[in-house]
Structure formats: structure tokens, C-alpha cells
Amino acid sequence: MSETSPAAPPLRSFGRFELRALLSKSARSLIWRVFDARHSQELMLCMPRDKPNSAPALEHWLRMAQGAERVQHPNLAQPFEIGHVENWPYVAYDRALGETLDERLARQNAPLPIDAAGWVAQLLEGLAFAHEAGHAHRDIQTACLVIDAADRVRLIGLEVAQEVFPATVDFNAVTRRAVRESAEEDVLCVGLLLNRILSGRPVLEENDLQHVVQQMQPIGREMVRLGWETPHPIPDPLRAICNRATDRQLRQRYHLARSFWRALDGWRQAAAYDTGGPVVLLLDKLQRIGHLPTTTTGLHRFTAGSGLEAKHASALSELALKDMALSLELVRRVNNALRQAGHQGETVLNMQRAIQMLGLDGLQLAANALKPWPGPLAPVAAEMLRQLMARVGKAAQVAQALRPAGYDGEVVHLITVMQNLGRLLLQYHFPDDAQQIRQLMVPPEPTEEQPNPPGMSEQAAAYAVLGCDLDSLGIAVARHWGLGDELQQMIRRQPLDAAVHPPRSDADTLRLTCSFANELVDALGLPEPKRRPGIEAATRRYAKALGLGLREVMEALNPGAPRAGQPQDTPAPPAPAPAASPLRERLASRGSGR
């Protein structure tokens, strides 16, 4: 047998194996379809392109392959046999496991995106398990995925393409380093694999993914992004996940197979079942931990009386609105009670009305159900939540100041908060994911080609981390709490890339007013040189639709500042009393028996 490569043309057998077809040939490994006369069955034979250069190296190769064999997972194929022929090592797999991804794509050239995501998610789940057990694949190619008739995916070739080291090295020491480096490369190759399936063509016109890796930045000069000409439309979350996996900036990519899997499986579950993925995980945490921790310690002083008198309702309502967790809990409880009473689609968002409906005992039960600050959060994560809650509270104040006459201030306050519900719950229940999203939104280092590179948008970053956007998380929770369809529409922010049209209903007016307030407060969080331009840009977006100008905006953002032409010690004239709002009547008074 030739010592340069077992793929030499004259070769027709390899030991006892009859070579029938070359399934894959890359710079690092080969996969053959062979016939084993001893067992009268077809196998897939995986072997390295480079022969171990010494007896210790061969021994090390076999030991690593046998260690990988002991890693048991449904998405990792179990070897039929591990051995060597004339010091050429191999790992054999039963051909009955299924067809390779190459063969599937030749037969079904354009699988649906949901199917592609399912295959790659299974691959990542098995790969993450292998990485966590201390093993790497080192040469993931399309032929390394084996898919059976039930679309179950298994990875073959684990630890086949091992790096060849000089005979004098300490194999244990170099292996630990090599596994860490190879694991990240494995994850990158899975991203290229996803790009290959979704695009319907080889990435950079290369079949060997290792050649693609060598051409990509920062090693080479090529950028790999999913194009727009694809066999099927690609949903935005899936596109963001795919592009993050192959981002030109190393720090933007997935470094762990487990993180990549979470994002992809989150989108896949949500797309297939509407309530899957991160939504299921979040709802489970809501059951066990609650939505947010309370920031109020003196509630008992307000509820210690023998009954809820009318004069106490406004004081209790004011207190509840100051505690974000308590106000959300009251909304949840009163609307859940309405739903159980058969009032489908009805929503109460006025705090005074909610407290009157629940009574003093209901208010006390709601307060007692909340975990004290900061719940299970570590100090750094708790501080991030505190800052986020402060920004949301500021946005609610701005929205109240900007609301048209006749609209209930408490309703406006709560809709503004609930437009941030997904962000708040993510920071409390998944602080590591929230931090990862913030990091992806930081602009990457500038280059000659891109001197002012933008960071990811919040939506794209959420797609890349969770597989869904933050508004969808909040709306799923609102639906779980029994809040009506009208409110679920109002708590979805106006998309940043969509034009703002004049409102056609009370619900439109409320949604746009609260979205405007949230965008203004986001602009306040920009660096100083960008702050004023950000405020002006947001104002231009909403000015015509809401009839508001920069003067009203600046007064709302700085309520204590004196108005132009008004002495500083002269109090501002009182605002006129708002007229009754039809929407307020619907949101605040349902369930009152009127």
C-alpha cells in the first residue's frame, strides 16, 4: 500500500475491505464506502490523509479514537470498528446508519430552512456533547453527517483527522491545546455547513470546508455571508444565526457548539410550534421564580388597614406603579381572573381599577408572591437589571408626558413597560444571554474596508443568541398571562426600519406614543456626541404621525427645566384635565358590571 495516501488510483482494497466508492476527500481525511467480506456488509471507512509518523503517534491516534468511541450520544454515530492496516488507522461505521448529507443534497437539492436547521441543530447537540467530553472532530464536512429515513442526524469521523505531531512531543500536553483550538474550528465549520445547505451551493465555490476556513478573515480576505438568492426565503432570525456563525470578527462568532445550538434550536422550536425554544424555558422560570423581583419594602404600611377605602386606591396605585414587579403581578392576576370568569379578550391596565377588583387581600397576596430584590441574581447582573428598570421607568414617564389629552396615564405607563417586557425578563432570567446580546451590538474593530463598521441591531443580536426577538418573548408572556389581542399588538414596538404612519385607532396612538418614548430614552443612552442627533432623528420619525415637535420632546425628557421665555422661579401652568378616553373605558372598566 502506498504511504502517501490510501486514495491512490490503483487501490482497490484496504486490508480486508473492498473499496467501492470514495464518499469524501478533504485536506485532512477520507471517507470510503467499503464492503466487509468478513461480516458481509457495507461500511463507511473514515481515515486520516496523513499517516501517523511513528509507533507512539499511531498509539496516540488509536487511544484518542477509542476515547471518542466511549462518548455516547444519540447524535454521535457509534463506530463499528477501530483498527489499522499497515499502520494506516481507520474508524468504520455501519452503512445502514443512513446516507451522507452530500448524498441527501444530491437527491434533495433544496431542503426547507426548517429542515436544514433541524439537521444542523442535531449535529450541534452531538458535537457539544463531544466537546464537553474533551474531544473534537477536526474536519467537519458535508459527508460527515449521516441522515436516516426519519431525519435523525449522526456525526461520523470524531477524532479521525488528528494533527500529526513529531514523535518526540508530549502527546497529552499538545492534545489538550489542540482540542480547544479544534473545537472552535468545528463550530465555524458547522456555520459554513449551514450556509452551504441554505444557499444551495458550495461556500466560496469550495467543497472542502477547510479550504474555505483558510480563505476567511482574519486568516484570508474573504467574507462569508448568506446571500439573498437562495432556493427558499430565509427567515430573518435564521439568517442572523447563520451569518453570526461565520462573522469576519472572531469575537462575534459562536465559540461554543452549545451556544450555537441554543440559538438554532430556539428558532427552530419557535418556528415549528410558536411556543417552543426560549419561550418554553422562560415560562418555566416564570412558574418557579416569578417575573421580576420586588423593589418595595414598605407595602405592609399601606395594606395594614381593615379594608380598602376609596381614598387609599390612588395611594396604592401610585405605589404599585413605582414597583415594576408589583404592577406586572397585579396586571397578571386581574386579567387571569377575568379570563377564568369567561371575559375572553378583556384587559385591565388601570392600576386603581385592578386594585379595586382584587381587593386588599388580593393586593397583599400579589405582594407576598414576589421575591425580594435581587432574587437569584449575582451583584453584576442585579446592577444591570436595576439600570434597565431605571431606563424603562424613565421611558414610562416620558410617554406619560407625551400622551395626547384624554389618554389614561397609568395605561400609557404600563404599555411602555410592557414594550420592554422581553428585555426585562431576559435580563432577570437569562443574564448571560442578555450580556451576549449587548456585546454583539458593540461595533467591531474598524478596518480599511470598513472604517465605521456598525454593530448588530438589537433584533439581529437577539436572533443570533436566542433564535427569536425580544418583542416576541414579551408577547408570548403576555399571551400566557391572558392579556387580550389588542394589548399584544400595542406592546410590540414600532420597527426601527419601518415608516411611522398616522395612527388609525386609539390602540395605534398608544403603541406609537410608547414606542416613541422608548426610542427617545434609547437615544439618551448613546454616547454624548450621538445623543442629540439620536433624539432629533426619533422626533422626525414620529413628528407627523403624533403631532409632536422637538420642544414638546425636550420638555418631556427634562420635566424640571423651565420653558423658553419663562423665568426659572415661575411654575409652569397646570395641564388641562384630560377628557375621557374610549380606550381607557375599555381597558380600565371591563369587568365592572357596567
Side-chain angles (χ1 to χ4, degrees):
M1 173 173 178
S2 168
E3 296 219 351
T4 58
S5 169
L11 202 60
R12 291 293 177 265
S13 64
F14 179 65
R16 74 175 195 271
F17 304 110
E18 175 191 341
L19 302 179
R20 292 192 166 177
L22 183 61
L23 298 177
S24 174
K25 178 182 178 181
S26 73
R28 293 184 179 179
S29 66
L30 299 163
I31 303 177
W32 285 91
R33 178 168 63 85
V34 304
F35 181 73
D36 181 5
R38 179 186 299 173
H39 298 95
S40 299
Q41 70 180 98
E42 279 200 334
L43 301 172
M44 291 175 288
L45 216 61
C46 300
M47 61 184 68
R49 287 293 299 271
D50 294 324
K51 181 178 181 180
N53 55 14
S54 65
L58 175 61
E59 181 184 350
H60 174 74
W61 192 101
L62 293 171
R63 185 166 60 250
M64 291 294 291
Q66 289 160 357
E69 181 184 22
R70 291 191 288 271
V71 180
Q72 306 279 323
H73 190 275
N75 299 119
L76 297 175
Q78 277 302 108
F80 176 82
E81 179 180 298
I82 298 175
H84 62 94
V85 174
E86 298 178 2
N87 294 329
W88 279 101
Y90 65 84
V91 179
Y93 298 89
D94 190 347
R95 174 63 171 169
L97 289 174
E99 60 186 344
T100 68
L101 178 59
D102 270 335
E103 293 170 316
R104 174 63 70 91
L105 293 178
R107 183 170 60 82
Q108 179 190 352
N109 186 44
L112 293 172
I114 191 72
D115 294 330
W119 296 342
V120 177
Q122 291 183 66
L123 164 63
L124 285 167
E125 197 166 4
L127 190 63
F129 193 81
H131 287 170
E132 290 156 5
H135 292 278
H137 190 281
R138 309 170 198 274
D139 191 31
I140 289 178
Q141 304 286 345
T142 47
C144 296
L145 273 71
V146 177
I147 308 174
D148 65 16
D151 272 358
R152 177 178 170 184
V153 170
R154 295 178 181 88
L155 176 65
I156 65 172
L158 195 63
E159 291 289 9
V160 165
Q162 297 176 38
E163 186 176 350
V164 176
F165 299 108
T168 55
V169 305
D170 179 350
F171 286 105
N172 290 327
V174 298
T175 295
R176 286 192 294 271
R177 172 186 59 79
V179 167
R180 287 195 299 270
E181 294 175 355
S182 296
E184 286 200 20
E185 188 179 88
D186 284 349
V187 177
L188 172 59
C189 286
V190 174
L192 294 173
L193 196 72
L194 180 60
N195 184 296
R196 162 70 183 87
I197 303 172
L198 294 176
S199 66
R201 61 177 65 92
V203 183
L204 301 183
E205 305 303 322
E206 290 277 2
N207 289 317
D208 186 345
L209 297 184
Q210 287 299 324
H211 290 164
V212 178
V213 170
Q214 295 304 312
Q215 295 180 56
M216 291 177 63
Q217 298 181 30
I219 302 172
R221 299 184 61 84
E222 297 290 343
M223 290 179 58
V224 174
R225 295 184 68 79
L226 188 61
W228 295 99
E229 294 182 2
T230 54
H232 301 285
I234 308 300
D236 287 343
L238 184 57
R239 181 178 293 277
I241 291 168
C242 185
N243 285 337
R244 181 192 173 188
T246 61
D247 197 278
R248 69 180 183 88
Q249 292 276 342
L250 293 178
R251 70 178 182 87
Q252 299 285 78
R253 296 175 185 167
Y254 298 103
H255 298 289
L256 298 175
R258 185 70 64 189
S259 299
F260 194 173
W261 172 79
R262 283 191 62 199
L264 192 59
D265 192 63
W267 172 78
R268 187 179 66 89
Q269 295 284 353
Y273 306 112
D274 191 44
T275 56
V279 173
V280 167
L281 294 175
L282 179 58
L283 294 181
D284 177 66
K285 283 184 174 284
L286 292 181
Q287 294 289 339
R288 295 185 288 109
I289 304 173
H291 48 276
L292 291 173
T294 180
T295 55
T296 300
T297 57
L299 185 64
H300 64 279
R301 295 198 300 270
F302 289 84
T303 59
S306 57
L308 182 62
E309 301 175 12
K311 64 180 181 180
H312 291 156
S314 60
L316 290 172
S317 172
E318 183 180 351
L319 175 66
L321 285 174
K322 289 180 180 177
D323 188 324
M324 211 167 282
L326 179 58
S327 59
L328 291 173
E329 178 66 9
L330 290 171
V331 167
R332 184 190 73 81
R333 285 177 176 251
V334 73
N335 287 287
N336 188 52
L338 279 175
R339 183 174 60 173
Q340 291 180 353
H343 299 277
Q344 295 295 332
E346 298 183 2
T347 303
V348 170
L349 276 185
N350 177 276
M351 277 293 101
Q352 292 191 45
R353 182 62 192 151
I355 292 171
Q356 290 169 353
M357 290 178 66
L358 293 172
L360 183 59
D361 290 340
L363 176 59
Q364 189 68 65
L365 287 172
N368 291 341
L370 300 173
K371 287 190 177 296
W373 183 269
L377 289 180
V380 173
E383 175 59 19
M384 296 303 297
L385 179 60
R386 185 195 66 76
Q387 293 179 16
L388 176 59
M389 293 172 76
R391 290 200 302 273
V392 173
K394 173 68 173 178
Q397 293 173 1
V398 172
Q400 286 182 308
L402 294 175
R403 76 186 191 274
Y407 287 87
D408 190 317
E410 292 186 355
V411 171
V412 170
H413 178 108
L414 282 167
I415 291 174
T416 308
V417 170
M418 295 198 70
Q419 284 189 347
N420 293 280
L421 185 58
R423 296 163 185 81
L424 292 162
L425 296 178
L426 182 74
Q427 180 59 54
Y428 184 48
H429 294 289
F430 304 106
D432 291 342
D433 289 338
Q435 177 63 20
Q436 196 177 159
I437 289 172
R438 285 192 292 271
Q439 289 173 344
L440 290 175
M441 293 171 66
V442 175
E445 294 294 326
T447 63
E448 291 184 5
E449 295 83 3
Q450 287 189 307
N452 298 297
M456 280 191 186
S457 67
E458 182 187 58
Q459 184 183 61
Y463 286 158
V465 174
L466 302 171
C468 71
D469 63 278
L470 301 185
D471 279 351
S472 295
L473 276 184
I475 289 169
V477 172
R479 186 185 306 121
H480 179 69
W481 285 351
L483 305 184
D485 293 340
E486 188 175 48
L487 178 62
Q488 291 177 38
Q489 289 299 318
M490 285 190 288
I491 66 175
R492 184 177 287 278
R493 284 195 193 185
Q494 178 72 5
L496 292 174
D497 57 353
V500 180
H501 299 290
R504 298 180 178 180
S505 64
D506 284 338
D508 276 352
T509 300
L510 283 170
R511 185 179 70 84
L512 292 177
T513 301
C514 298
S515 290
F516 184 24
N518 278 311
E519 286 187 33
L520 289 170
V521 173
D522 287 344
L524 288 178
L526 295 173
E528 180 62 38
K530 298 181 178 180
R531 197 170 299 163
R532 177 81 181 200
I535 292 171
E536 292 174 351
T539 303
R540 284 194 297 272
R541 255 168 60 80
Y542 290 89
K544 184 176 180 180
L546 296 177
L548 294 169
L550 192 58
R551 181 178 63 82
E552 293 94 338
V553 167
M554 299 310 295
E555 289 174 358
L557 292 174
N558 304 282
R563 296 182 182 179
Q566 178 182 324
Q568 189 161 349
D569 57 352
T570 303
S581 163
L583 185 60
R584 175 182 177 175
E585 292 295 320
R586 296 206 307 275
L587 292 173
S589 302
R590 285 168 175 163
S592 64
R594 289 191 289 162

